[in-house]
Amino acid sequence: MSADRPGDAPRVLVTGASGYIGGRLVPALLAAGYRVRAMARSPEKLRDHPWAGDVEIVRGDVTDPDSTRAALRDIDIAYYLVHALSGGSDFEATDRRAAHVFATEAGNAGTRRLIYLGGPVPPGVPERDLSPHLRSRAEVGRILLESEVPTVVLRAAVILGSGSASFEMLRYLTERLPVMVTPRWVDTRVQPIAVRDVLHYLVGCAALPEGVNRGFDIGGPDIVTYRTMMQRYARVAGLPRRLIVPVPVFTPGLSSHWVGLVTPVPGAIARPLTESLRYEGVCKENDIVRRIPGPPGGLTGLDRSLALALQRVREAAVATRWTSAATPKAPSNPLPTDPGWAGGSLYTDRRERVTDATPQALWDVIESIGGDSGWYSFPLAWAARGWLDRLAGGAGLRRGRRDPARLRAGDTLDFWRVEEIQRGRLLRLRAEMRLPGLAWLELMVAEDERGTVYRQRAVFHPHGLLGHLYWWSVFPFHHLVFGGMTRNITAAARDRTRRAHRDARRGAGERHAGAAATGDQIG
């Protein structure tokens, strides 16, 4: 279903709408008043986006002329945001064919403008000598520029935002390695740009005069090396300064294997990225400012870009990644369709148990947890954790709870705090003990065809290498602690249900006996 927009508003097609940039561009275009058609090879991936009901969603593949032709029908402006980021032997040929198909069908459809987000072209390096990834992006841009449809090509080097492949590689390397032996590309100069600024320029391109047919370099206000970016990330994230030792022995292949070993970024993505990092990614011109005014407040600096990309963790909004309780509010934040390796490390312990307890009895046990009721598993381990927390300067278990039976959002609960409570359904606690990271504990009541279901989820976001070591050091005790909680909470709920049934039967019997006695007296 298309959005309810003014009939004369330009119609815009966004290809790659399920991708990193496309998924963030669509709401920006809607906010600017455009009527948007979103194209994806798998439209079902778009259903979790909050804007899905405000756009027309079509299935299409840019290598297929028929589906591309249908997607471009009645389109004024088309964004080309697809690229075969793969090390496959034929990906350059695939990119080339797709660009030709799209340019041809756009021309036949009468599309007034094409907009493409490509990569930088290093000065003094012939296109044939570039990495396959950069060479293909440059070729796609050239094919579109040489078509009969006026085209704008934006060239960006490193895009900073949670979910961006470049940023995620930076995040994982810096978080996990306080000391690292690195490839020489750590000293290559780049000009990173915040994703919000990329979106500003992409939206602005839609309003350019029809005669504009050229490429523009775009970048943020800082020119730095990758080494500097890692050190600045460490500082913004509150990590100690990293020791970085570049060595000349890393070939592109070895470099991508090294990145694959240290980070969860897939090798098919890591290899083209690391190959491209050998080349300088600095703007050769800044002509874009004469065509599109800068964003309000100016371009986003490096430290601010990094802070925005980390913001969801700082504000405890990590729930947007592992529940559907919230929607990311900024382009720097993750989206439901971002790849699973995006967003930083997130360790999770999930437990589930079906019980014959009533949902109310189960919830009553959950809401009474902590304080004098304890934590329903391995009391010595909880006590020891409380002592350790106090030794480290934390509150330990001495804070207890405000009320023995009822909780409300914001309550302290031993060394936890109630972050969210949906009475009868969900209790989410945020850890306030001393930890090398952020932690949450979620206790839930559900019902399905099996009966009453207790679900429990512990989530830990590590801070630096120490955070990863902490998780794996306590992991062997999870079965005792978290497994014991699952068993004992459901057992307590079952006992509470049985007591309630016994009391109900006893009450019914007493009422029956009373009624019989009254009858005898009347008789």
Side-chain angles (χ1 to χ4, degrees):
M1 182 179 298
S2 62
D4 183 15
R5 302 277 164 181
D8 59 350
R11 294 188 63 90
V12 176
L13 174 69
V14 177
T15 65
S18 61
Y20 176 72
I21 294 294
R24 288 156 172 80
L25 177 61
V26 169
L29 289 168
L30 290 172
Y34 292 99
R35 294 178 293 167
V36 178
R37 179 181 294 162
M39 172 179 166
R41 285 189 298 179
S42 302
E44 58 274 9
K45 291 182 178 180
L46 303 180
R47 63 172 178 256
D48 288 331
H49 284 282
W51 44 257
D54 297 325
V55 303
E56 179 187 358
I57 297 176
V58 298
R59 185 184 302 274
D61 185 334
V62 290
T63 62
D64 172 44
D66 292 337
S67 63
T68 301
R69 185 180 309 120
L72 284 164
R73 186 175 299 120
D74 301 323
I75 288 295
D76 301 300
I77 301 158
Y79 286 87
Y80 192 77
L81 301 175
V82 293
H83 184 65
L85 188 61
S86 167
S89 57
D90 61 347
F91 85 94
E92 288 186 85
T94 301
D95 275 344
R96 185 181 307 117
R97 183 174 68 257
H100 279 299
V101 167
F102 196 79
T104 299
E105 297 303 333
N108 293 338
T111 302
R112 301 201 314 264
R113 170 161 306 288
L114 301 180
I115 301 168
Y116 172 60
L117 180 61
V121 178
V125 181
E127 187 176 303
R128 64 179 181 276
D129 294 335
L130 294 174
S131 69
H133 168 58
L134 286 182
R135 184 170 62 235
S136 181
R137 302 198 81 166
E139 183 182 20
V140 167
R142 189 176 66 256
I143 291 170
L144 298 178
L145 285 168
E146 292 174 353
S147 72
E148 63 181 84
V149 182
T151 298
V152 173
V153 174
L154 296 182
R155 297 183 290 256
V158 174
I159 298 176
L160 297 177
S162 184
S164 155
S166 298
F167 173 77
E168 296 301 335
M169 196 166 73
L170 170 74
R171 181 208 299 265
Y172 285 115
L173 288 174
T174 311
E175 285 273 353
R176 296 185 173 184
L177 295 177
V179 179
M180 60 185 101
V181 177
T182 65
R184 286 181 296 180
W185 50 250
V186 293
D187 289 320
T188 301
R189 294 197 316 157
V190 292
Q191 193 168 348
I193 182 170
V195 64
R196 58 174 53 197
D197 294 338
V198 173
L199 297 175
H200 171 81
Y201 285 130
L202 284 169
V203 173
C205 285
L208 288 176
E210 291 189 12
V212 178
N213 186 74
R214 58 161 293 183
F216 295 94
D217 291 344
I218 58 172
D222 298 290
I223 298 174
V224 295
T225 64
Y226 209 85
R227 179 207 298 260
T228 300
M229 275 204 297
M230 286 193 279
Q231 297 291 15
R232 298 269 283 272
Y233 176 96
R235 186 173 67 192
V236 170
L239 299 169
R241 183 175 176 82
R242 274 27 198 162
L243 178 60
I244 301 171
V245 182
V247 296
V249 296
F250 275 105
T251 64
L254 285 175
S255 181
S256 65
H257 287 309
W258 173 71
V259 171
L261 181 67
V262 176
T263 81
V265 179
I269 294 176
R271 184 179 181 97
L273 286 179
T274 54
E275 287 177 340
S276 301
L277 288 172
R278 293 179 294 161
Y279 306 98
E280 189 172 89
V282 176
C283 296
K284 301 189 296 295
E285 44 82 16
N286 194 32
D287 296 348
I288 192 73
V289 300
R290 294 200 292 269
R291 300 284 187 172
I292 301 174
L299 293 170
T300 312
L302 175 59
D303 289 351
R304 176 68 175 153
S305 299
L306 295 171
L308 288 169
L310 290 168
Q311 182 174 328
R312 80 180 172 90
V313 174
R314 295 296 179 90
E315 295 181 352
V318 72
T320 62
R321 186 174 159 74
W322 46 280
T323 76
S324 57
T327 298
K329 298 179 181 179
S332 306
N333 288 342
L335 291 178
T337 51
D338 285 347
W341 44 263
S345 299
L346 203 63
Y347 294 119
T348 305
D349 182 283
R350 289 183 174 87
R351 310 272 170 169
E352 179 177 294
R353 196 175 185 90
V354 178
T355 174
D356 55 5
T358 64
Q360 185 59 50
L362 180 57
W363 175 254
D364 289 342
V365 173
I366 289 174
E367 195 173 4
S368 67
I369 201 168
D372 293 338
S373 298
W375 291 89
Y376 290 93
S377 71
F378 204 176
L380 181 59
W382 286 96
R385 187 64 185 86
W387 297 331
L388 290 172
D389 192 54
R390 293 188 64 176
L391 286 174
L397 296 175
R398 58 185 170 180
R399 296 191 304 187
R401 50 181 293 155
R402 175 188 57 84
D403 184 279
R406 299 280 286 182
L407 292 172
R408 62 189 181 194
D411 276 1
T412 57
L413 185 58
D414 294 330
F415 44 37
W416 301 88
R417 186 172 297 276
V418 179
E419 183 173 87
E420 182 177 354
I421 184 167
Q422 298 175 16
R423 207 161 302 283
R425 293 179 50 213
L426 166 71
L427 174 64
R428 181 181 300 138
L429 307 176
R430 185 179 72 249
E432 292 189 342
M433 74 278 282
R434 297 302 178 105
L435 284 171
L438 300 170
W440 290 262
L441 179 62
E442 207 175 48
L443 313 177
M444 293 164 281
V445 178
E447 292 182 86
D448 61 22
E449 66 279 358
R450 298 171 295 172
T452 303
V453 183
Y454 171 68
R455 294 193 177 110
Q456 177 181 296
R457 179 162 44 190
V459 178
F460 182 63
H461 190 287
H463 189 215
L465 180 61
L466 186 59
H468 293 277
L469 295 176
Y470 171 82
W471 172 265
W472 291 113
S473 69
V474 299
F475 182 77
F477 302 100
H478 283 188
H479 180 70
L480 290 173
V481 176
F482 294 132
M485 284 183 68
T486 304
R487 292 189 300 273
N488 295 332
I489 285 175
T490 52
R494 183 184 63 241
D495 292 344
R496 187 179 290 242
T497 299
R498 290 173 178 173
R499 284 197 303 272
H501 287 164
R502 285 198 302 270
D503 291 345
R505 287 195 298 270
R506 185 180 302 116
E510 291 173 353
R511 287 192 298 273
H512 179 74
T518 301
D520 290 342
Q521 292 172 1
I522 293 173

